[in-house]
Amino acid sequence: IDDYRAKYDDAPNELKKSSVRTERGNKIKEALGNTHDFSNWVGVIEQMQTTGKGKAIFTIEIEGTRIKMGTVNSEFSDLLDNTLIEQSNPLFDVISELHKGDKVIVNGSFLSSSGNDYVKEYKIKEKGSMKSPNFLVRFINIQQK
């Protein structure tokens, strides 16, 4: 991600910048081994809140990076993605005992992207996606480190 952030910054125009994003998506696919799953990744809790209906919004920053991964931040945005954590999900009880800034170990899967990122990224503008990406995931396991 860092390599492509620099390449994006150095690109001379919007067309080249867009192709750098596509290159990054191909590299993400390769790095994940053509899967969308991740296991035992360490991160720091960046955000933990609830929606109006009590579903958990949960985001971490992958340790040592500026890369965020987590759920969407509203029920409307989650209609198709199903990333928010329901109170009936055992993960809800786990994260309710944690605090922003805690280190966690997470397992789950990235959402597929229909665009050029391979995995779904939450930022609206390309520049934000390339500078400080926020990837959407469904968490399967979360534990305090």
Side-chain angles (χ1 to χ4, degrees):
I1 300 292
D2 287 338
D3 291 345
Y4 289 94
R5 182 182 296 119
K7 282 178 80 171
Y8 184 84
D9 286 341
D10 293 342
N13 58 55
E14 295 299 315
L15 297 173
K16 184 61 179 169
K17 287 180 185 299
S18 186
S19 68
V20 169
R21 185 175 184 177
T22 300
E23 287 176 38
R24 181 186 76 171
N26 292 333
K27 193 57 135 180
I28 290 170
K29 180 178 180 180
E30 180 183 316
L32 290 174
N34 293 328
T35 182
H36 287 87
D37 301 333
F38 57 90
S39 296
N40 299 318
W41 287 21
V42 178
V44 176
I45 298 174
E46 177 78 19
Q47 179 185 29
M48 47 187 297
Q49 297 175 296
T50 56
T51 66
K53 293 184 180 178
K55 296 178 182 179
I57 300 164
F58 189 77
T59 304
I60 67 166
E61 185 171 89
I62 300 170
E63 188 174 44
T65 74
R66 292 185 284 173
I67 302 166
K68 294 180 176 64
M69 58 192 283
T71 67
V72 297
N73 61 7
S74 75
E75 289 181 26
F76 181 75
S77 298
D78 203 43
L79 288 175
L80 297 175
D81 295 327
N82 196 28
T83 64
L84 294 172
I85 302 168
E86 301 267 356
Q87 288 185 8
S88 59
N89 184 326
L91 289 181
F92 191 94
D93 292 334
V94 171
I95 63 178
S96 70
E97 299 296 324
L98 301 173
H99 300 89
K100 185 176 177 180
D102 284 349
K103 280 190 181 182
V104 291
I105 301 170
V106 296
N107 299 328
S109 60
F110 290 95
L111 274 63
S112 295
S113 171
S114 58
N116 49 4
D117 286 318
Y118 181 64
V119 293
K120 199 167 189 179
E121 202 281 326
Y122 196 59
K123 298 280 175 99
I124 294 171
K125 296 191 177 189
E126 182 176 80
K127 185 175 183 179
S129 170
M130 293 302 292
K131 294 263 193 205
S132 56
N134 189 355
F135 296 105
L136 292 180
V137 300
R138 284 189 197 101
F139 291 106
I140 296 169
N141 189 35
I142 301 168
Q143 64 185 35
Q144 189 166 14
K145 180 169 183 189

